[in-house]
């Protein structure tokens, strides 16, 4: 079908170039800037904070308590694999959430209040807002269903069969000298021995809240004095800061950097990034189990994973799309800032300063904020079989046929988003190789009675030092690359256009900074563990001659018996 001139409604008419006398009066905005409206917005933000707090409280039985739970009741050789499976399954949630978000963002935000004739916006329109809230309802119902099996768990979990046999053998060997010696201190004062074995975990059920608060600082300082614990937690803080920034702003970064839709960006992240993260976590647990890695081996694996992650992150600085040329905002090199392509072409127009309805001149690849800024005075709809295309004609600021196409200009390098995200996924998988080994460094490095509290302290630091400030830091860095802000009630509301080169360098540079910090911490962990191993061997070599002589004189057959056990 041929083109037709539409009767333009009030919103379209406000975007056109009309003389001042015939221009429609701008809609009043004082109602949206009243104190009651701002208080209502703050109330909604408060509800979101309460919901996130309850979500964090509900996740405590899985992480951190579930980590210590698995390590206590599983066999030592199976614990790395079980922890890797736990972490991998935990990461399946965000991956599915990104896929669900991709579907929800294809629906308009006011899905329950759609007009009869629908809306004229498409998913590619920068003014499109998807139904972000619908995913929260679906996820909340799923979480409620997943919590039901917890009611059927026993009060005490049975230990694995192999773990019980192993501990019985160890107890049989360690108790045999005590049974032979009648004057040993443990037999004379068994009550004192039991008391020494009790730690915060054993006596925790009998502690009141006030008593636990008194015990907690002591355990906290004791763990912070442990160099391995402190360095591993700092490395995980760096990794969590990187993950928090990626999870929060990677969809927005891909959307702005490669000019793709928010739905497509979420779909790519859910299909590429999170499966690679899950694979990296599982492979890390399998390597620890198969190679029987000790503390030094775990630290070497963590350091190697971070080195490879840094290597594959370097090309990300050079993969991206240049910024579009926006009339009056961004210009080609050598052009004078602040001037339109045709000076004085829109002097007769009464364009709204806060309007945003982008149009594109395909021939010159120049984008205008509104049709009014392009000097367009009429709107034409080109009907097609599958969809209609909107043009704005009689544009005084456009050369050639004096027409522009509705919507932002397409990018010629949007295909680079796939190799970019593949490199991001590969780097994430290599970084996640460190997940299970780093947790084992903490579980094996602290006292057994302090294990649960140590993991709790670790998660406390991750929340306070990583997951809370990292999104703020990344958001502030992204805001510094904005070149055009939309105003609301006299304040900056949302960024319309970014400097893509600055956006890429600062976002990827911040990620690179956290990766370097994590690598340095793992290198220090390796140095500390090697020093401790060297000191232990030196001490052992000094005490071996006297010990061997004592064993040969007192019990000649004990050495062979112990070696068999």
């Amino acid at each position: 079908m041929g083109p037709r001139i539409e009767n333009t409604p009030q919103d379209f008419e406000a975007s056109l170039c009309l003389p001042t006398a015939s221009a429609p009066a701008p809609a009043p905005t004082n109602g949206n800037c009243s104190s009651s409206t701002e208080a209502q917005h703050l109330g909604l933000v408060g509800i979101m904070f309460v919901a996130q707090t309850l979500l964090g409280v509900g996740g405590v039985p899985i992480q951190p308590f579930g980590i210590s739970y698995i390590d206590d009741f599983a066999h030592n050789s199976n614990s790395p694999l079980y922890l890797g499976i736990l972490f991998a399954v935990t990461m399946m949630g965000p991956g599915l959430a990104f896929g669900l978000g991709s579907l929800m963002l294809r629906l308009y935000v006011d899905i329950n209040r759609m007009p009869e004739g629908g809306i004229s916006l498409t998913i590619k329109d920068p003014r499109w807002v998807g139904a972000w809230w619908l995913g929260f309802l679906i996820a909340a119902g799923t979480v409620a269903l997943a919590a039901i099996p917890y009611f059927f768990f026993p009060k005490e979990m049975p230990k694995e069969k192999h773990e019980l046999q192993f501990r019985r053998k160890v107890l049989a060997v360690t108790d045999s000298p005590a049974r032979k010696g009648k004057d040993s201190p443990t037999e004379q004062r068994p009550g004192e021995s039991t008391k020494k074995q009790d730690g915060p975990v054993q006596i925790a059920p009998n502690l009141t809240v006030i008593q636990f608060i008194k015990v907690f600082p002591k355990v906290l300082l004791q763990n912070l004095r442990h160099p391995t614990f402190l360095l591993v937690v700092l490395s995980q803080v760096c990794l969590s800061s990187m993950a928090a920034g990626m999870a929060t702003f990677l969809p927005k970064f891909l959307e702005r950097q490669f000019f793709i839709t928010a739905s497509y960006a979420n779909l790519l992240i859910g299909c590429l990034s999170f499966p690679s993260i899950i694979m990296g976590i599982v492979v890390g647990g399998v390597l620890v189990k198969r190679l029987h890695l000790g503390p030094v081996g775990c630290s070497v694996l963590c350091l190697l994973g971070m080195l490879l992650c840094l290597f594959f992150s370097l090309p990300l600085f050079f993969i991206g799309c240049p910024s579009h040329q926006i009339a009056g905002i961004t210009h080609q090199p050598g052009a004078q800032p602040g001037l339109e392509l045709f000076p004085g072409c829109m002097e007769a127009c009464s364009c709204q300063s806060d309007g945003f309805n982008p149009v594109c001149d395909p021939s010159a690849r120049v984008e205008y904020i509104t049709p009014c800024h392009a000097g367009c005075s009429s709107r034409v709809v080109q009907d097609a079989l599958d969809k209609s295309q909107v043009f704005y004609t009689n544009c005084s600021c456009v050369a050639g046929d004096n027409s522009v196409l509705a919507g932002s200009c397409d990018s010629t390098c949007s295909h680079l988003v796939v190799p970019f995200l593949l490199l991001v996924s590969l780097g994430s998988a290599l970084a996640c190789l460190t997940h299970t080994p780093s947790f084992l460094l903490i579980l094996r490095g602290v006292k057994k009675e302090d294990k649960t509290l140590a993991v709790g302290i670790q998660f406390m630091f991750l929340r306070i030092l990583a997951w809370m400030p990292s999104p703020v830091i990344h958001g502030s860095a992204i805001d510094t690359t904005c070149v055009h802000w939309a105003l609301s009630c006299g304040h900056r509301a949302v960024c319309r256009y970014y400097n893509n080169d600055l956006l890429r360098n600062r976002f990827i540079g911040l990620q690179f900074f956290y990766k370097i910090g994590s690598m340095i911490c793992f290198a220090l962990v390796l140095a500390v563990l090697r020093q401790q191993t060297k000191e232990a061997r030196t001490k052992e070599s000094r005490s071996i001659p006297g010990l061997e002589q004592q064993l040969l004189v007192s019990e000649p057959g004990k050495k062979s018996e112990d070696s068999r056990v």
Side-chain angles (χ1 to χ4, degrees), residues 101-122:
S102 174
L103 297 176
M104 297 301 103
L105 291 177
R106 294 177 180 272
L107 306 175
Y108 192 63
V109 62
D110 292 330
I111 187 176
N112 57 335
R113 295 183 297 177
M114 291 287 289
E116 294 182 359
I119 58 175
S120 59
L121 297 179
T122 63

Side-chain angles (χ1 to χ4, degrees), residues 27 48 61 98 111 156 171 192 200 210 214 222 235 239 245 249 262 266 269 293 314 339 341 410 429 474 520 536 561:
M48 293 292 292
F98 273 98
I111 187 176
E156 294 184 2
L171 289 175
E192 182 180 351
I210 298 177
K214 293 180 179 180
Q222 180 179 350
S235 67
L239 288 175
F249 291 105
N266 281 271
I269 295 172
L293 299 179
L314 284 174
L339 297 178
L341 296 180
D410 294 331
H474 280 81
I520 292 174
E561 181 183 353

Side-chain angles (χ1 to χ4, degrees), residues 80-81 281-291:
L81 180 61
I281 294 174
V282 173
V283 170
V286 171
L287 288 177
V288 174
K289 176 180 171 60
R290 292 295 183 185
L291 301 179

Side-chain angles (χ1 to χ4, degrees), residues 27-41 354 488-489:
T29 58
N30 294 333
N32 296 330
C33 301
S34 61
S35 57
S36 59
T37 305
E38 292 182 1
Q40 184 180 4
H41 292 169
D354 57 346
S488 176
C489 301

Side-chain angles (χ1 to χ4, degrees), residues 46-67:
I47 293 175
M48 293 292 292
F49 272 114
V50 173
Q52 293 291 336
T53 302
L54 294 176
L55 187 63
V57 173
V60 168
I62 302 175
Q63 292 185 10
F65 289 165
I67 299 172

